Amino acid sequence: MGRWQGGAGERLKEAALGLFASKGYDGTTVAEIAAAAGLTERTFFRHFSDKKEVLFVDQAEFERTFLDALPERSDDPMWLISAVLDTAAGLFPEERREWSRARQRVIDANVALRERELLKLSALAVALTGALTGRGIDPISAALAAESGVTVFRTAFTVWVTPDEERGFAEIQQTVLSRLQTLLD
């Protein structure tokens, strides 16, 4: 097992996803993931705190992408959120779709992982609310805009990973946002 081989984190993610798909999340051990990646358990734990983090490891980067995309000036909270969503769509290029579909199947099959996914999105809404209030948006408008933005993102992602969907993430997300705006008119 190569201690210094490059790409260990990605190899572990790919091995874990394959094992989760074939054996189930609960039926897969860290030792099996490491072995399938040609690495040691010790290497696994250098990259991930536990096996669920293989699916959620990029949480800080994910949240930072949304927050960094928030424009500095505007008093329109939904315009700000729309700008954030446009930037965040870049997290989901076409080449990531199959991995995202496989990841979502694993999450959908496990209650604890679904809860973790919802916590991730809830934390994002809280962070966006704080960022909006920090830019002078009143707390209620900030919370409504942030929660709406997360709902648009989550709905777009759900559509994007459906088996027969071919549209790009940005297009889907814009359609979902337009639908929300139509509902509010």
Side-chain angles (χ1 to χ4, degrees):
M1 293 188 202
R3 179 176 174 184
W4 299 108
Q5 292 178 5
E10 285 304 312
R11 288 180 21 225
L12 288 163
K13 286 166 77 172
E14 290 297 325
L17 197 56
L19 288 167
F20 295 159
S22 64
K23 297 181 66 172
Y25 176 80
D26 291 327
T28 301
T29 67
V30 168
E32 291 168 326
I33 295 168
L39 300 165
T40 65
E41 282 186 71
R42 187 173 176 178
T43 300
F44 178 94
F45 287 113
R46 275 193 216 114
H47 290 272
F48 308 104
S49 60
D50 58 33
K51 69 180 182 178
K52 99 176 152 228
E53 289 306 309
V54 171
L55 300 169
F56 298 102
V57 69
D58 300 327
Q59 173 68 28
E61 180 183 330
F62 174 76
E63 197 170 288
R64 191 172 37 259
T65 298
F66 282 80
L67 295 175
D68 289 350
L70 197 59
E72 287 296 321
R73 297 180 186 239
S74 178
D75 59 356
D76 181 345
M78 282 308 292
W79 181 86
L80 291 166
I81 290 299
S82 180
V84 166
L85 291 172
D86 287 345
T87 299
L91 291 170
F92 301 96
E94 184 57 36
E95 58 270 10
R96 189 170 175 182
R97 192 187 311 237
E98 284 310 312
W99 193 90
S100 296
R101 283 176 172 155
R103 174 189 176 272
Q104 197 60 47
R105 284 190 297 272
V106 171
I107 290 169
D108 289 345
N110 185 288
V111 172
L113 295 176
R114 288 194 312 265
E115 289 173 355
R116 174 67 177 87
E117 182 86 337
L118 290 173
L119 286 172
K120 176 177 100 170
L121 294 171
S122 179
L124 175 60
V126 168
L128 284 169
T129 299
L132 289 171
T133 58
R135 284 175 171 70
I137 305 295
D138 73 271
I140 293 173
S141 295
L144 286 170
E147 293 287 348
S148 296
V150 170
T151 297
V152 166
F153 169 79
R154 188 174 109 199
T155 303
F157 182 83
T158 299
V159 171
W160 187 66
V161 297
T162 58
D164 294 330
E165 183 59 57
E166 294 181 2
R167 292 175 295 163
F169 191 88
E171 179 184 350
I172 295 167
Q173 188 168 254
Q174 191 56 49
T175 300
V176 172
L177 181 59
S178 293
R179 279 260 187 90
L180 176 63
Q181 290 166 334
T182 299
L183 288 172
L184 297 174
D185 288 339

Coordinates of all heavy atoms in Angstrom, one line a residue, residues 64-126:
R64 N -18.2 28.2 2.0 CA -17.4 29.3 1.6 C -17.7 29.8 0.2 O -17.7 31.0 -0.1 CB -15.9 29.0 1.8 CG -15.0 30.1 1.7 CD -13.5 29.8 2.0 NE -13.0 28.5 1.6 CZ -12.9 27.4 2.4 NH1 -13.2 27.5 3.6 NH2 -12.5 26.3 1.9
T65 N -18.0 28.9 -0.7 CA -18.3 29.2 -2.1 C -19.6 30.1 -2.1 O -19.6 31.2 -2.8 CB -18.6 28.0 -3.0 OG1 -17.3 27.2 -3.0 CG2 -19.0 28.3 -4.4
F66 N -20.6 29.8 -1.3 CA -21.8 30.6 -1.3 C -21.5 32.0 -0.6 O -21.9 33.0 -1.2 CB -22.9 29.9 -0.5 CG -23.6 28.8 -1.2 CD1 -23.0 27.5 -1.3 CD2 -24.8 29.0 -1.8 CE1 -23.6 26.5 -2.0 CE2 -25.5 28.0 -2.4 CZ -24.9 26.7 -2.6
L67 N -20.8 32.0 0.5 CA -20.5 33.2 1.2 C -19.6 34.2 0.4 O -19.9 35.4 0.4 CB -20.0 32.9 2.6 CG -20.9 32.2 3.5 CD1 -20.2 31.9 4.8 CD2 -22.2 33.0 3.8
D68 N -18.6 33.6 -0.2 CA -17.7 34.4 -1.0 C -18.4 35.0 -2.2 O -17.9 36.1 -2.8 CB -16.5 33.6 -1.5 CG -15.5 33.3 -0.3 OD1 -15.7 33.8 0.8 OD2 -14.6 32.5 -0.5
A69 N -19.4 34.4 -2.7 CA -20.1 34.9 -3.9 C -21.1 36.0 -3.6 O -21.7 36.7 -4.5 CB -20.9 33.8 -4.6
L70 N -21.3 36.3 -2.3 CA -22.3 37.3 -1.9 C -21.8 38.7 -2.3 O -20.7 39.1 -1.8 CB -22.6 37.2 -0.4 CG -23.8 37.9 0.1 CD1 -25.1 37.3 -0.5 CD2 -23.8 37.7 1.7
P71 N -22.5 39.4 -3.2 CA -22.0 40.7 -3.6 C -22.0 41.7 -2.4 O -22.8 41.5 -1.4 CB -23.1 41.2 -4.6 CG -23.7 39.9 -5.1 CD -23.7 39.0 -3.9
E72 N -21.1 42.7 -2.4 CA -21.0 43.6 -1.3 C -22.1 44.6 -1.2 O -22.5 45.0 -0.1 CB -19.7 44.4 -1.5 CG -18.4 43.6 -1.2 CD -18.3 43.1 0.2 OE1 -18.7 43.9 1.1 OE2 -17.9 42.0 0.4
R73 N -22.7 45.0 -2.3 CA -23.6 46.1 -2.3 C -25.0 45.7 -2.9 O -25.0 45.4 -4.1 CB -23.1 47.4 -2.9 CG -21.9 47.9 -2.2 CD -21.4 49.1 -3.0 NE -20.1 49.5 -2.4 CZ -19.9 50.7 -1.8 NH1 -20.9 51.6 -1.8 NH2 -18.8 51.0 -1.3
S74 N -26.0 45.9 -2.1 CA -27.4 45.8 -2.6 C -28.2 45.7 -1.4 O -27.9 45.2 -0.4 CB -27.6 44.6 -3.5 OG -29.0 44.5 -3.9
D75 N -29.4 46.3 -1.5 CA -30.4 46.2 -0.4 C -31.5 45.2 -0.7 O -32.5 45.1 0.0 CB -30.9 47.5 0.0 CG -31.6 48.3 -1.1 OD1 -31.6 47.7 -2.2 OD2 -32.1 49.4 -0.8
D76 N -31.3 44.5 -1.8 CA -32.4 43.5 -2.3 C -31.9 42.1 -1.9 O -31.0 41.6 -2.6 CB -32.6 43.7 -3.8 CG -33.6 42.7 -4.3 OD1 -34.0 41.7 -3.6 OD2 -34.1 42.9 -5.4
P77 N -32.4 41.5 -0.8 CA -31.9 40.3 -0.4 C -32.0 39.1 -1.4 O -31.2 38.3 -1.6 CB -32.6 40.0 0.9 CG -33.8 40.8 0.8 CD -33.5 42.0 0.0
M78 N -33.1 39.1 -2.2 CA -33.3 38.1 -3.2 C -32.4 38.3 -4.4 O -31.9 37.3 -5.0 CB -34.7 37.9 -3.6 CG -35.6 37.2 -2.6 SD -35.0 35.6 -2.1 CE -35.1 34.6 -3.5
W79 N -32.0 39.5 -4.7 CA -31.1 39.7 -5.8 C -29.7 39.2 -5.3 O -29.0 38.6 -6.1 CB -31.0 41.2 -6.1 CG -30.0 41.5 -7.2 CD1 -30.2 41.4 -8.6 CD2 -28.6 41.7 -7.1 NE1 -29.1 41.6 -9.3 CE2 -28.0 41.8 -8.4 CE3 -27.7 41.9 -6.0 CZ2 -26.7 42.1 -8.6 CZ3 -26.4 42.2 -6.2 CH2 -25.9 42.3 -7.5
L80 N -29.3 39.5 -4.1 CA -28.1 39.0 -3.5 C -28.0 37.4 -3.5 O -27.1 36.8 -4.0 CB -27.9 39.5 -2.1 CG -27.6 41.0 -1.9 CD1 -27.8 41.4 -0.5 CD2 -26.2 41.3 -2.4
I81 N -29.1 36.8 -3.1 CA -29.2 35.3 -3.1 C -29.1 34.8 -4.5 O -28.5 33.8 -4.8 CB -30.5 34.8 -2.4 CG1 -30.3 35.1 -0.9 CG2 -30.7 33.4 -2.6 CD1 -29.2 34.4 -0.2
S82 N -29.8 35.5 -5.5 CA -29.7 35.0 -6.9 C -28.3 35.1 -7.4 O -27.8 34.1 -8.1 CB -30.6 35.9 -7.7 OG -30.6 35.5 -9.1
A83 N -27.5 36.1 -7.0 CA -26.1 36.2 -7.4 C -25.3 35.0 -6.8 O -24.4 34.5 -7.5 CB -25.6 37.5 -7.0
V84 N -25.6 34.7 -5.6 CA -24.9 33.6 -4.9 C -25.2 32.3 -5.6 O -24.3 31.5 -5.8 CB -25.3 33.6 -3.4 CG1 -24.9 32.3 -2.8 CG2 -24.8 34.7 -2.6
L85 N -26.5 32.1 -5.9 CA -26.9 30.8 -6.6 C -26.2 30.7 -8.0 O -25.7 29.6 -8.3 CB -28.4 30.8 -6.7 CG -29.2 30.6 -5.4 CD1 -30.7 30.7 -5.7 CD2 -28.8 29.2 -4.8
D86 N -26.1 31.8 -8.7 CA -25.4 31.8 -10.0 C -24.0 31.3 -9.8 O -23.5 30.5 -10.6 CB -25.4 33.2 -10.6 CG -26.8 33.6 -11.2 OD1 -27.7 32.7 -11.3 OD2 -26.9 34.8 -11.5
T87 N -23.3 31.8 -8.9 CA -21.9 31.4 -8.6 C -21.8 29.9 -8.1 O -21.0 29.2 -8.6 CB -21.2 32.3 -7.6 OG1 -21.2 33.6 -8.2 CG2 -19.8 31.9 -7.3
A88 N -22.7 29.6 -7.2 CA -22.6 28.2 -6.6 C -22.9 27.2 -7.7 O -22.5 26.0 -7.5 CB -23.6 28.1 -5.5
A89 N -23.6 27.5 -8.7 CA -23.9 26.5 -9.8 C -22.7 26.0 -10.4 O -22.6 24.8 -10.9 CB -24.8 27.2 -10.9
G90 N -21.6 26.8 -10.3 CA -20.3 26.3 -10.8 C -19.7 25.1 -10.1 O -18.8 24.5 -10.6
L91 N -20.2 24.8 -8.9 CA -19.8 23.7 -8.1 C -20.2 22.4 -8.8 O -19.7 21.3 -8.4 CB -20.3 23.7 -6.7 CG -19.8 24.8 -5.8 CD1 -20.6 24.8 -4.5 CD2 -18.4 24.5 -5.5
F92 N -21.1 22.4 -9.7 CA -21.7 21.2 -10.3 C -21.6 21.2 -11.8 O -22.6 21.2 -12.5 CB -23.2 21.1 -9.8 CG -23.3 21.1 -8.3 CD1 -23.5 22.2 -7.6 CD2 -23.1 19.9 -7.7 CE1 -23.6 22.2 -6.2 CE2 -23.1 19.9 -6.3 CZ -23.3 21.0 -5.6
P93 N -20.4 21.0 -12.3 CA -20.2 20.8 -13.7 C -20.7 19.4 -14.2 O -20.9 18.5 -13.3 CB -18.7 20.9 -13.9 CG -18.1 20.5 -12.6 CD -19.1 20.9 -11.5
E94 N -20.9 19.3 -15.4 CA -21.4 18.0 -16.0 C -20.6 16.8 -15.6 O -21.1 15.8 -15.2 CB -21.5 18.1 -17.5 CG -22.1 16.9 -18.2 CD -23.5 16.6 -17.7 OE1 -24.3 17.6 -17.4 OE2 -23.8 15.4 -17.5
E95 N -19.2 17.0 -15.5 CA -18.4 15.8 -15.2 C -18.6 15.3 -13.7 O -18.2 14.3 -13.4 CB -16.9 16.1 -15.5 CG -16.3 17.2 -14.8 CD -16.5 18.6 -15.6 OE1 -17.2 18.6 -16.6 OE2 -15.8 19.5 -15.1
R96 N -19.3 16.1 -12.9 CA -19.5 15.7 -11.5 C -20.9 15.1 -11.3 O -21.2 14.5 -10.3 CB -19.4 17.0 -10.6 CG -19.5 16.7 -9.2 CD -19.1 17.9 -8.4 NE -19.3 17.6 -7.0 CZ -19.1 18.5 -6.0 NH1 -18.8 19.7 -6.3 NH2 -19.3 18.1 -4.8
R97 N -21.7 15.1 -12.4 CA -23.1 14.6 -12.2 C -23.2 13.1 -11.9 O -23.9 12.8 -10.9 CB -23.9 14.9 -13.5 CG -25.4 14.6 -13.3 CD -26.3 14.7 -14.5 NE -26.1 15.8 -15.3 CZ -27.0 16.7 -15.7 NH1 -28.3 16.6 -15.2 NH2 -26.8 17.7 -16.5
E98 N -22.5 12.2 -12.5 CA -22.6 10.8 -12.2 C -22.2 10.5 -10.8 O -22.8 9.7 -10.1 CB -21.8 10.0 -13.2 CG -22.5 9.8 -14.5 CD -24.0 9.4 -14.4 OE1 -24.3 8.5 -13.7 OE2 -24.9 10.1 -15.1
W99 N -21.1 11.1 -10.3 CA -20.6 10.9 -9.0 C -21.7 11.5 -8.0 O -22.0 10.8 -7.0 CB -19.3 11.6 -8.7 CG -18.7 11.2 -7.4 CD1 -17.8 10.2 -7.2 CD2 -18.9 11.8 -6.1 NE1 -17.5 10.1 -5.9 CE2 -18.1 11.0 -5.2 CE3 -19.6 12.8 -5.6 CZ2 -18.1 11.3 -3.8 CZ3 -19.6 13.1 -4.3 CH2 -18.8 12.3 -3.4
S100 N -22.3 12.6 -8.3 CA -23.3 13.2 -7.5 C -24.6 12.3 -7.4 O -25.2 12.2 -6.4 CB -23.7 14.6 -8.0 OG -22.6 15.5 -7.8
R101 N -24.9 11.7 -8.6 CA -26.1 10.8 -8.6 C -25.8 9.6 -7.7 O -26.7 9.2 -6.9 CB -26.3 10.3 -10.0 CG -27.0 11.4 -10.9 CD -27.2 10.9 -12.3 NE -28.0 11.8 -13.0 CZ -28.0 12.0 -14.3 NH1 -27.1 11.2 -15.1 NH2 -28.7 12.9 -14.9
A102 N -24.6 9.0 -7.8 CA -24.3 7.9 -7.0 C -24.3 8.2 -5.5 O -24.8 7.5 -4.6 CB -22.9 7.3 -7.4
R103 N -23.7 9.4 -5.2 CA -23.6 9.9 -3.8 C -25.1 10.0 -3.3 O -25.4 9.6 -2.1 CB -22.9 11.2 -3.7 CG -22.9 11.9 -2.4 CD -22.3 13.3 -2.5 NE -22.3 14.0 -1.2 CZ -23.4 14.7 -0.9 NH1 -24.5 14.8 -1.6 NH2 -23.4 15.3 0.3
Q104 N -25.9 10.6 -4.1 CA -27.3 10.9 -3.6 C -28.1 9.6 -3.4 O -28.9 9.5 -2.4 CB -28.0 11.8 -4.6 CG -29.3 12.4 -4.0 CD -29.0 13.3 -2.8 OE1 -28.1 14.1 -2.8 NE2 -29.7 13.1 -1.7
R105 N -27.8 8.6 -4.2 CA -28.5 7.3 -4.0 C -28.1 6.7 -2.6 O -28.9 6.1 -1.9 CB -28.2 6.3 -5.1 CG -28.9 6.6 -6.4 CD -28.7 5.4 -7.4 NE -27.4 5.3 -7.8 CZ -26.8 5.9 -8.9 NH1 -27.5 6.8 -9.6 NH2 -25.6 5.6 -9.2
V106 N -26.8 6.8 -2.2 CA -26.3 6.3 -1.0 C -27.0 7.1 0.2 O -27.5 6.5 1.1 CB -24.8 6.4 -0.9 CG1 -24.3 6.2 0.6 CG2 -24.1 5.5 -1.9
I107 N -27.0 8.4 0.0 CA -27.7 9.3 1.1 C -29.1 9.0 1.2 O -29.7 8.8 2.3 CB -27.4 10.8 0.8 CG1 -25.9 11.1 1.0 CG2 -28.3 11.7 1.6 CD1 -25.5 12.4 0.4
D108 N -29.8 8.9 0.1 CA -31.3 8.6 0.1 C -31.6 7.3 0.8 O -32.7 7.1 1.3 CB -31.9 8.6 -1.3 CG -31.9 10.0 -1.9 OD1 -31.8 11.0 -1.1 OD2 -32.1 10.1 -3.1
A109 N -30.7 6.3 0.8 CA -30.9 5.0 1.3 C -30.6 4.9 2.8 O -30.8 3.9 3.4 CB -30.1 3.9 0.6
N110 N -30.2 6.0 3.4 CA -29.8 6.0 4.8 C -30.3 7.2 5.6 O -30.0 8.3 5.3 CB -28.3 5.9 4.9 CG -27.7 5.7 6.3 OD1 -27.8 6.7 7.1 ND2 -27.2 4.6 6.6
V111 N -31.1 7.0 6.6 CA -31.8 8.0 7.3 C -30.7 9.0 8.0 O -30.9 10.2 7.9 CB -32.7 7.5 8.4 CG1 -33.2 8.6 9.4 CG2 -33.9 6.7 7.8
A112 N -29.7 8.4 8.6 CA -28.7 9.3 9.2 C -28.0 10.2 8.2 O -27.7 11.3 8.5 CB -27.7 8.4 10.0
L113 N -27.7 9.7 7.0 CA -27.1 10.5 6.0 C -28.0 11.5 5.5 O -27.6 12.7 5.2 CB -26.6 9.6 4.9 CG -25.5 8.6 5.2 CD1 -25.1 7.7 4.1 CD2 -24.2 9.3 5.8
R114 N -29.3 11.2 5.4 CA -30.3 12.2 5.0 C -30.3 13.4 6.0 O -30.4 14.5 5.6 CB -31.7 11.6 4.8 CG -31.7 10.8 3.5 CD -33.2 10.4 3.1 NE -34.0 9.9 4.2 CZ -34.2 8.7 4.4 NH1 -33.7 7.7 3.7 NH2 -35.1 8.3 5.4
E115 N -30.3 13.0 7.3 CA -30.3 14.0 8.3 C -29.0 14.9 8.2 O -29.1 16.1 8.4 CB -30.3 13.3 9.7 CG -31.7 12.7 10.0 CD -31.7 11.9 11.3 OE1 -30.6 11.7 11.9 OE2 -32.8 11.5 11.7
R116 N -27.9 14.2 8.0 CA -26.6 15.0 7.8 C -26.7 16.0 6.7 O -26.2 17.1 6.8 CB -25.5 14.0 7.6 CG -24.1 14.6 7.4 CD -23.6 15.4 8.6 NE -22.3 16.0 8.3 CZ -22.0 17.1 7.7 NH1 -23.0 17.9 7.3 NH2 -20.8 17.5 7.6
E117 N -27.3 15.5 5.6 CA -27.4 16.4 4.4 C -28.3 17.6 4.8 O -28.0 18.7 4.4 CB -28.1 15.6 3.3 CG -28.2 16.4 2.0 CD -27.0 16.4 1.1 OE1 -25.9 16.2 1.6 OE2 -27.1 16.7 -0.1
L118 N -29.4 17.4 5.5 CA -30.3 18.5 5.9 C -29.6 19.4 6.9 O -29.8 20.6 6.8 CB -31.6 17.9 6.5 CG -32.5 17.2 5.5 CD1 -33.7 16.6 6.2 CD2 -33.0 18.2 4.5
L119 N -28.8 18.9 7.7 CA -28.0 19.7 8.7 C -27.0 20.6 7.9 O -26.8 21.8 8.2 CB -27.2 18.9 9.7 CG -28.1 18.3 10.8 CD1 -27.3 17.3 11.6 CD2 -28.7 19.4 11.7
K120 N -26.4 20.0 6.9 CA -25.5 20.8 6.0 C -26.2 22.0 5.4 O -25.7 23.1 5.4 CB -24.9 19.9 5.0 CG -24.0 20.5 4.0 CD -23.4 19.5 3.0 CE -24.1 19.6 1.7 NZ -23.5 18.8 0.7
L121 N -27.4 21.7 4.8 CA -28.1 22.8 4.2 C -28.7 23.8 5.2 O -28.7 25.0 4.9 CB -29.2 22.2 3.3 CG -28.7 21.4 2.1 CD1 -29.9 20.7 1.5 CD2 -28.0 22.3 1.2
S122 N -29.0 23.3 6.4 CA -29.5 24.2 7.4 C -28.4 25.2 7.9 O -28.6 26.4 8.1 CB -30.0 23.4 8.6 OG -30.4 24.3 9.6
A123 N -27.2 24.6 8.0 CA -26.0 25.4 8.4 C -25.7 26.5 7.3 O -25.3 27.6 7.6 CB -24.8 24.5 8.6
L124 N -25.9 26.1 6.1 CA -25.7 27.1 5.0 C -26.7 28.2 5.1 O -26.3 29.4 4.9 CB -25.8 26.4 3.6 CG -25.8 27.2 2.4 CD1 -24.4 28.0 2.3 CD2 -26.0 26.4 1.1
A125 N -28.0 27.9 5.4 CA -29.0 28.9 5.5 C -28.7 29.9 6.6 O -28.8 31.1 6.5 CB -30.4 28.3 5.7
V126 N -28.2 29.3 7.8 CA -27.8 30.1 8.9 C -26.6 31.1 8.5 O -26.6 32.3 8.8 CB -27.5 29.3 10.1 CG1 -26.8 30.1 11.2 CG2 -28.7 28.6 10.6

